Amino acid sequence: MREIIHGIGASPGRALGSVRRLEARPWRPEHRTIAADAVEREVERLEEALRWAADRIRETRARASRSLGEVEANIFDPQILILSDPDLVSGTIRYIRENFLSAERAFDWRLTELRTAILDAGHLMVVDRLADLRDIRSHVLARLAGHEGEPLALPKEEAVIVTEDLTPQVAVRLDPDLVLGVASGSGSRTSHSTLLARSLGIPAVVGLGRGLASVADGDAVLLDGGTGRVVLRPEPAEVAAHVRRVRRFSDVGDIGLERGPLFTADGERVHLRANIDQPHDVPAARRVGAEGVGLFRSEFLVIGRRVIPSEEEQYEAYREVVEGFPGHPVTLRTFDIGGDKFPLFLDIPPEANPYLGWRAIRVCLDRPALFRNQLRAAIRAGGEESRMRILVPFVISEAEILRTKEIVDGVREELGHPRRVPFGVMVETPALAETLDLVGRHLDFISLGTNDLTQYSLAVDRGNARLQHLSDPLHPAMVRSYRRVFDAASDLELEIGVCGDLAADPIGLALLLALGYRDFSLAPASILEVRELVGLLSTAELERVWASGALAAGGAELRRQLSGYLAEAVPSSPPSLSMP
């Protein structure tokens, strides 16, 4: 029977296919001791296995650099460093010499201790560190046991991969022509494996936990990497709707930037821009006709790095994106680090509530050298026409805005930049949403971040799959907040954009259009579908539905009203998977 499993949307896009389970065969070396005269020989075996594993990972890194880019290749640097870490190497050798353990058993024992230490630290960074340890373990133990083949056999035909844990070494080997999607029991939106899946254009849902226990090889699944929903054994109507959607958009081809302006059915101009993680994403955004970049997540340059990227390195990356969209704006979100994103050079201490802790603009204002370095690169990349707009995340107060603007203006003056740089903030905290009328006079534009605003308003961790049914972007509190933000920004004549996932959902898009929003930034995988949908919707009709009072109530009544409108306005109305 049909079953819905809730996880965390990690890589956007939808996939329909048969399940291919990937299950690593757990292998624990036997507890074997060695003779005293064999100790040094065993140490040599260990050292050779470590060198061999490091060489293999370097080869993987080189392949990733060639096929995906240097950003993705950097993911494997920590694994190479761990293999030479004194805590690991010296600790393992000590167990060999003092306890007369075989190299396999000593290495496995020491890795277990390191894993426990990482878990005890209580740091969100554990997701990637544990995945790195699993990859390292498989390489070193395979070499010591004489098994040097690939640890997992990937599918030879089209399939949706289901696995308890997708490590970077496996993720980088995925063939996007055969792997339609990935459903993983563990993981997060910002894990290294997720970044690789996004770079490969493979839809992915993570954090499914025990829900995967009921999924068997050969089962049909419909996976949505945007909403985090996996439909097991979908109904024929759902399958047919998905097939129609695939056929519709496979015939579109590359619409490119030459595509004309987008209008609603009643002539309202709408802009669709791209959310991107790195310059590598620009071609995909251009192919679907994105009108510039509404959200450029700059933290791709620092996640997992042990050294701060230079101004020149940042400039080259930012300039590549600006040049990819001639005549269109590019909005750079300043480093949104902390929470679940940790550059190694910051040495962020564990926090009880990292999402509410030292993160985003708080880090940047406390580390002015890091921040000024980024701003110099961004302003230079924008050129004399100031096409690089500065967007600041996680703001809660006027003081933060004024201090940040002072730094931006100071950097601009240092550079002798002739024009003021467009400056805006993410509206993603209730504090800013409620006080936008007071602080908005200092801004040129805002970007409504519906994902985090929902998380903080409803007190629901968006990274906790168990709570996803409570994370309702159409909760009455959220609908009221969207309206207040739009009205306050309009009164101040600010440019208003939306960069959350709500706009990628048919019901969410209809609501935002009814409220007056006309500028949306989306994952490139969502743009074609939203473009088609916008052209079928009438803002005048949607505003009449709003005026009736039905939408203001939010929740179930809002869904009912907008679903009814969509059923009439859109032939074969697409399913709204993000809504309960």
Side-chain angles (χ1 to χ4, degrees):
M1 294 179 61
R2 179 180 183 271
E3 179 183 350
I4 296 178
I5 308 171
H6 296 274
I8 301 165
S11 180
R14 294 178 186 166
L16 172 69
S18 296
V19 167
R20 166 74 162 81
R21 290 199 70 114
L22 278 188
E23 298 187 30
R25 294 180 177 84
W27 176 64
R28 185 166 297 279
E30 62 178 309
H31 184 79
R32 182 171 63 86
T33 57
I34 57 175
D37 60 1
V39 165
E40 295 310 314
R41 186 165 61 250
E42 208 68 12
V43 170
E44 290 174 3
R45 285 184 66 232
L46 170 71
E47 292 174 339
E48 190 279 334
L50 293 172
R51 289 193 298 271
W52 180 87
D55 289 342
R56 286 291 298 274
I57 295 171
R58 289 190 186 96
E59 292 172 5
T60 300
R61 187 196 189 287
R63 288 199 302 270
S65 179
R66 290 192 298 270
S67 60
L68 297 175
E70 192 62 17
V71 172
E72 287 83 354
N74 287 335
I75 285 171
F76 297 98
D77 289 343
Q79 293 190 11
I80 297 170
L81 289 170
I82 291 171
L83 284 167
S84 60
D85 187 280
D87 279 347
L88 174 62
V89 179
S90 298
T92 303
I93 292 174
R94 186 174 69 252
Y95 288 143
I96 294 173
R97 287 180 171 156
E98 295 179 3
N99 298 78
F100 299 104
L101 294 177
S102 66
E104 295 96 319
R105 188 69 181 97
F107 182 76
D108 195 42
W109 194 354
R110 185 59 186 145
L111 270 189
T112 299
E113 291 178 335
L114 293 177
R115 180 180 183 277
T116 301
I118 291 172
L119 288 170
D120 287 346
H123 208 296
L124 283 177
M125 205 175 197
V126 300
V127 173
D128 285 329
R129 294 291 75 78
L130 293 180
D132 286 336
L133 292 184
R134 283 189 287 269
D135 269 343
I136 289 167
R137 180 182 187 273
S138 67
H139 276 302
V140 174
L141 292 184
R143 178 64 170 181
L144 289 170
H147 306 145
E148 300 171 17
E150 295 291 358
L152 289 174
L154 296 176
K156 303 297 184 184
E157 56 188 19
E158 289 186 349
V160 173
I161 283 181
V162 171
T163 180
E164 290 301 325
D165 174 48
L166 185 69
T167 66
Q169 288 280 347
V170 175
V172 77
R173 294 169 49 220
L174 299 180
D175 182 347
D177 291 330
L178 297 178
V179 179
L180 305 175
V182 174
S184 175
S186 60
S188 72
R189 284 188 178 90
T190 58
S191 69
H192 290 161
S193 298
T194 296
L195 174 60
L196 291 169
R198 283 201 297 269
S199 297
L200 290 165
I202 298 174
V205 176
V206 300
L208 289 159
R210 296 178 181 175
L212 292 182
S214 59
V215 183
D217 260 331
D219 278 343
V221 293
L222 178 58
L223 175 151
D224 191 316
T227 66
R229 274 192 164 189
V230 176
V231 181
L232 182 59
R233 297 177 291 273
E235 295 174 350
E238 293 174 296
V239 173
H242 176 82
V243 170
R244 284 196 302 270
R245 174 184 176 275
V246 170
R247 287 175 179 166
R248 200 161 62 236
F249 296 119
S250 64
D251 295 336
V252 172
D254 295 351
I255 64 176
L257 290 174
E258 69 278 359
R259 180 76 172 225
L262 175 63
F263 295 91
T264 62
D266 58 338
E268 284 286 311
R269 178 74 165 97
V270 172
H271 297 275
L272 298 184
R273 312 190 196 279
N275 292 342
I276 67 171
D277 291 312
Q278 54 183 302
H280 182 75
D281 298 330
V282 169
R286 286 178 56 90
R287 282 195 297 271
V288 295
E291 297 180 77
V293 175
L295 180 66
F296 182 8
R297 302 181 180 97
S298 63
E299 51 274 9
F300 82 95
L301 275 167
V302 297
I303 299 304
R305 296 282 294 271
R306 291 184 177 272
V307 295
I308 298 173
S310 68
E311 177 187 330
E312 202 60 29
E313 180 184 356
Q314 293 186 63
Y315 166 76
E316 292 296 336
Y318 300 156
R319 188 65 188 170
E320 184 178 344
V321 176
V322 171
E323 291 176 348
F325 291 95
H328 293 276
V330 171
T331 302
L332 180 81
R333 184 178 69 185
T334 58
F335 293 140
D336 189 7
I337 49 183
D340 59 352
K341 299 184 284 282
F342 302 92
L344 299 178
F345 58 76
L346 270 186
D347 192 27
I348 299 178
E351 295 179 303
N353 295 296
Y355 288 105
L356 303 178
W358 194 54
R359 56 166 295 197
I361 189 58
R362 299 169 183 177
V363 174
C364 290
L365 292 178
D366 284 350
R367 295 289 186 271
L370 171 70
F371 196 25
R372 292 168 65 85
N373 204 36
Q374 179 181 40
L375 293 173
R376 286 179 60 88
I379 293 171
R380 287 175 55 205
E384 291 190 359
E385 64 273 29
S386 291
R387 283 187 43 229
M388 181 71 86
R389 311 196 312 170
I390 303 299
L391 177 66
V392 182
F394 208 60
V395 171
I396 65 169
S397 70
E398 184 177 45
E400 289 173 329
I401 293 172
L402 293 177
R403 188 176 169 198
T404 303
K405 286 193 71 175
E406 182 180 353
I407 295 173
V408 172
D409 289 341
V411 168
R412 182 179 62 80
E413 291 173 6
E414 285 176 11
L415 293 171
H417 191 74
R419 297 180 60 179
R420 194 169 61 84
V421 179
F423 178 85
V425 298
M426 294 281 297
V427 180
E428 56 187 349
T429 64
L432 194 66
E434 291 292 335
T435 59
L436 186 60
D437 59 323
L438 303 178
V439 305
R441 66 183 184 277
H442 305 299
L443 307 172
D444 300 305
F445 67 97
I446 64 163
S447 185
L448 178 67
T450 60
N451 298 341
D452 271 343
L453 186 59
T454 300
Q455 169 175 245
Y456 295 122
S457 297
L458 301 184
V460 175
D461 180 2
R462 59 188 287 228
N464 188 332
R466 176 178 288 181
L467 302 179
Q468 291 309 293
H469 66 290
L470 297 176
S471 183
D472 181 6
L474 301 187
H475 187 287
M478 302 315 306
V479 176
R480 292 181 182 186
S481 187
Y482 307 149
R483 181 71 199 197
R484 283 197 298 272
V485 167
F486 182 84
D487 289 345
S490 297
D491 289 344
L492 293 164
E493 299 183 345
L494 300 178
E495 291 184 41
I496 308 168
V498 179
C499 66
D501 291 335
L502 184 59
D505 180 88
I507 289 180
L509 177 67
L511 170 65
L512 292 168
L513 288 171
L515 294 175
Y517 291 92
R518 300 291 185 266
D519 195 312
F520 308 104
S521 191
L522 308 153
S526 301
I527 288 178
L528 285 180
E529 188 170 3
V530 172
R531 173 182 284 275
E532 182 181 55
L533 187 58
V534 165
L536 298 171
L537 301 182
S538 165
T539 56
E541 289 295 325
L542 286 168
E543 287 166 2
R544 275 194 283 273
V545 176
W546 172 265
S548 71
L551 301 190
E557 180 60 19
L558 180 149
R559 290 189 185 88
R560 190 182 69 80
Q561 291 283 339
L562 289 181
S563 293
Y565 170 76
L566 288 170
E568 294 179 3
V570 183
S572 303
S573 180
S576 182
L577 293 182
S578 70
M579 304 306 170

